[in-house]
Amino acid sequence: MDRQRSPICHPYGRPARRLAALLLLFATAGGCAGYRAGVASLYPPEIRTVYVPIFDSTSYRRNLGERLTEAVVKEIQLKTPFQVVNTPNADSVLTGTLVNDTKRVIVTSPTDEARESELTFQVQVRWVDRQGTLLRAPAAVAIPGALADVDYASSVVPEAGQSIVVGQQKAIQKIAEQIVGLMEAPW
């Protein structure tokens, strides 16, 4: 009479299954405890809230600091796990200054009108925690005051229906994306 072996009598029965289950448990829980996944893995885990005061502006053009601040806040809310708050008692503070904005004519028409112009913005940002410790990754070149320089050039073609305001908004949006990129934790 042929008897099929029960799993209990199998040479690799219960002890082997228990060992396999323990190894699986350790591999999933113990060995990976320091890892994070998803968007949260890109940003410092100890930071939950960010205070973003209105960026200063040395430009004579009105409202550029306010527009840049608004774009940065929207980018933080859209792309990071941080909550933007209206109090300096947040886990971190992101400050910035628009230090340079230039408009340069690249191409002129025969009647000396601008056919294509270039707008360049340069912003210095600083991201610190409550104790004043710098949070962004250190720059390759030492910058006084631990500031990061962010700049972007945008072209404007009035003959194609573009205005200076459209070019400014494009540059502001790109700079906001770069600033939020600086907030990522170093690898």
Side-chain angles (χ1 to χ4, degrees):
M1 171 155 103
D2 242 348
R3 285 186 6 193
Q4 288 186 344
R5 291 188 176 182
S6 72
I8 299 171
C9 298
H10 195 271
Y12 303 111
R14 282 188 183 171
R17 287 189 198 143
R18 286 183 185 162
L19 179 63
L22 281 173
L23 287 174
L24 181 62
L25 178 68
F26 285 130
T28 57
C32 300
Y35 292 100
R36 297 175 289 145
V39 174
S41 66
L42 297 174
Y43 302 97
E46 65 276 3
I47 303 298
R48 293 193 180 110
T49 58
V50 179
Y51 173 58
V52 184
I54 294 177
F55 283 23
D56 291 329
S57 176
T58 60
S59 173
Y60 66 90
R61 292 187 173 93
R62 296 179 47 156
N63 301 326
L64 288 180
E66 290 85 352
R67 290 170 56 196
L68 180 57
T69 304
E70 181 181 3
V72 169
V73 167
K74 285 181 180 178
E75 280 293 307
I76 290 172
Q77 292 171 337
L78 181 68
K79 295 184 178 173
T80 72
F82 305 134
Q83 179 182 3
V84 179
V85 295
N86 292 327
T87 176
N89 296 331
D91 295 335
S92 64
V93 177
L94 178 69
T95 57
T97 303
L98 179 64
V99 293
N100 188 13
D101 98 284
T102 58
K103 176 184 167 190
R104 180 174 67 101
V105 176
I106 298 173
V107 179
T108 59
S109 69
T111 58
D112 206 30
E113 295 178 40
R115 281 198 171 164
E116 184 176 358
S117 299
E118 180 182 71
L119 302 173
T120 304
F121 290 159
Q122 184 179 12
V123 180
Q124 290 181 335
V125 293
R126 182 180 171 101
W127 188 34
V128 296
D129 64 11
R130 281 186 199 185
Q131 291 76 32
T133 306
L134 188 66
L135 290 173
R136 68 167 186 80
V141 177
I143 299 172
L147 297 172
D149 282 330
V150 180
D151 58 1
Y152 183 78
S154 172
S155 65
V156 176
V157 182
E159 290 179 351
Q162 295 178 336
S163 68
I164 296 298
V165 174
V166 171
Q168 287 175 343
Q169 194 59 38
K170 181 180 175 184
I172 286 171
Q173 182 60 38
K174 291 296 184 181
I175 287 175
E177 291 172 8
Q178 289 179 28
I179 290 170
V180 172
L182 287 173
M183 297 173 80
E184 292 182 5
W187 286 44

